[in-house]
């Protein structure tokens, strides 16, 4: 199954995919992708393209889409330290290389706007996570 079209997994199992992306293709001592391949995911391949629809539009954010992830920065053509992949039912994984973490909001909701709700929640908790990680 496609990740965006039917992958069934627990949040704990999905964290292994995020760990793989965060650690540039290596997890638990096993490398399955090159760092350059994983790094390419954080760069917009076509930074000038017009975005027709985005789960971030309701937030007023103009994030771009890269290779399989949303690029949460103002310079997607040169690379973003934060990437995410909000799903239709509210499942929202992301990683933040600058702050040094990755996380997932794991929901499976069918109400209209579940994705936008999850994205708002993600954006709301990110500063608190950064603050907690920066505290001694």
């Amino acid at each position: 199954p496609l990740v965006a079209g039917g992958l069934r997994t627990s949040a704990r199992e999905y964290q292994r995919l995020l760990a793989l992306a965060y650690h540039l293709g290596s997890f638990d001592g096993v490398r399955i992708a090159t760092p350059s391949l994983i790094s390419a995911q954080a760069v917009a391949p076509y930074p000038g393209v017009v975005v027709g629809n985005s789960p971030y539009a309701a937030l007023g954010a103009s994030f771009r889409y890269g290779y399989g992830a949303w690029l949460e920065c103002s310079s997607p053509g040169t690379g973003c330290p934060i990437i995410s992949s909000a799903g239709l039912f509210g499942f929202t994984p992301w990683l933040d290389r600058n702050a040094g973490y990755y996380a997932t909001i794991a929901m499976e909701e069918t109400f209209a706007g579940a994705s936008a709700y999850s994205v708002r929640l993600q954006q709301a908790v990110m500063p608190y996570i950064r603050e907690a990680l920066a505290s001694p």
Side-chain angles (χ1 to χ4, degrees):
L2 300 172
V3 172
L7 177 70
R8 296 297 239 188
T9 185
S10 69
R12 180 178 290 222
E13 291 167 337
Y14 192 84
Q15 289 302 101
R16 300 178 113 197
L17 291 174
L18 278 180
L20 183 67
Y22 182 81
H23 296 288
L24 299 174
S26 179
F27 181 71
D28 278 348
V30 177
R31 176 159 302 282
I32 66 166
T34 65
S36 62
L37 178 65
I38 300 298
S39 294
Q41 186 179 28
V43 179
Y46 306 102
V49 73
V50 174
V51 177
N53 190 10
S54 163
Y56 298 97
L59 300 171
S62 59
F63 299 146
R64 313 293 293 183
Y65 200 71
Y67 291 118
W70 288 96
L71 310 175
E72 297 192 21
C73 69
S74 60
S75 59
T78 58
C80 294
I82 302 172
I83 62 172
S84 64
S85 187
L88 177 63
F89 302 111
F91 191 89
T92 303
W94 76 95
L95 62 85
D96 183 339
R97 291 192 191 287
N98 284 350
Y101 76 96
Y102 49 93
T104 300
I105 295 173
M107 308 180 354
E108 185 177 355
E109 294 293 337
T110 56
F111 65 87
S115 181
Y117 175 82
S118 183
V119 166
R120 283 192 301 274
L121 183 57
Q122 173 220 2
Q123 296 295 307
V125 301
M126 286 175 69
Y128 295 106
I129 294 171
R130 287 187 199 117
E131 182 180 328
L133 290 172
S135 296

